[in-house]
Amino acid sequence: MRDQAIETYLNELAAKVPAPGGGAAGALHAAQAAALVAMVARYSTGPKYADHEETVARITEQADALHEQALQLAADDAAAFGAVTDAYKLPKDTSEAKAARSAAIADALLGAARPAEATITCAADVVALAEKLLPIGNRNVITDIGAAAEAARAAAATARLNIEINLSGIKDPDARTGLLRSAALVDALADRTDEITATVRKEITR
């Protein structure tokens, strides 16, 4: 996915194939969010921003790393969904085969939920960077901070759906608890995004 043209990726997303799907799309929302934060940070350098030089440099570095992480999560999601598909194809003609198939499906569903869980964390990290950059960033590109926050919100909300759809087949109680805890972070992230967007809109309309 990393090396595909956008049109190729979108055609695959639109095709009747198991992956890429919503999970990969969510991770790519996070990648775009991180890239937007990095762009605003790079526009926030020079003498005018000297007082915040170190902070902006850290934000740039961290946003670039999150961008790369999110791209990997998109690929991980596609691979994990393939494992789920393979697990459902396992034989179930004997009681032993049925048990093995059920265990494989449960493991695959947990594996499919992991990239979504990491996408929520990644999105939250992007929002945190947007919050740091908002008061000090270049005002000419302030709307891109809002766009980054909204893209991160979409990433997290999409990832939560992917966690929830897989939960019914995950048997490990500790894993379920951890996934539910991650999913519960999304509402607070959305509230923080609302604040960023409201601040941006207030500034550009005054």
Side-chain angles (χ1 to χ4, degrees), residues 102-183:
S102 294
I105 290 171
D107 287 345
L109 290 174
L110 178 56
R114 292 305 189 194
E117 183 179 33
T119 296
I120 292 173
T121 301
C122 181
D125 289 343
V126 173
V127 170
L129 292 182
E131 289 169 333
K132 291 178 183 177
L133 187 57
L134 182 57
I136 63 175
N138 188 325
R139 307 335 271 171
N140 293 322
V141 284
I142 191 175
T143 54
D144 291 300
I145 299 178
E150 293 294 344
R153 182 213 300 266
T158 300
R160 177 169 60 184
L161 291 173
N162 279 357
I163 287 175
E164 291 172 344
I165 190 74
N166 289 315
L167 271 177
S168 62
I170 296 172
K171 309 304 181 185
D172 184 333
D174 291 336
R176 287 176 59 86
T177 298
L179 290 168
L180 286 168
R181 187 181 299 117
S182 295

Side-chain angles (χ1 to χ4, degrees), residues 12-140:
E12 289 189 2
L13 191 63
K16 190 179 179 180
V17 295
L28 289 178
H29 285 319
Q32 291 186 106
L36 283 166
V37 169
M39 181 267 283
V40 175
R42 288 187 167 92
Y43 270 112
S44 306
T45 58
K48 183 177 178 181
Y49 306 95
D51 291 346
H52 307 291
E53 181 177 358
E54 291 184 6
T55 299
V56 169
R58 284 195 300 271
I59 290 172
T60 304
E61 181 180 0
Q62 292 167 10
D64 285 343
L66 290 169
H67 161 194
E68 289 297 318
Q69 178 187 342
L71 282 178
Q72 185 59 51
L73 288 171
D76 291 347
D77 177 85
F81 195 83
V84 172
T85 301
D86 290 342
Y88 275 105
K89 292 178 181 177
L90 291 173
K92 50 182 178 179
D93 50 342
T94 67
S95 57
E96 291 82 2
K98 287 180 181 178
R101 178 177 178 271
S102 294
I105 290 171
D107 287 345
L109 290 174
L110 178 56
R114 292 305 189 194
E117 183 179 33
T119 296
I120 292 173
T121 301
C122 181
D125 289 343
V126 173
V127 170
L129 292 182
E131 289 169 333
K132 291 178 183 177
L133 187 57
L134 182 57
I136 63 175
N138 188 325
R139 307 335 271 171
N140 293 322

Side-chain angles (χ1 to χ4, degrees), residues 172-195:
D172 184 333
D174 291 336
R176 287 176 59 86
T177 298
L179 290 168
L180 286 168
R181 187 181 299 117
S182 295
L185 299 174
V186 176
D187 286 337
L189 183 149
D191 290 341
R192 291 162 64 194
T193 298
D194 284 340
E195 292 182 11

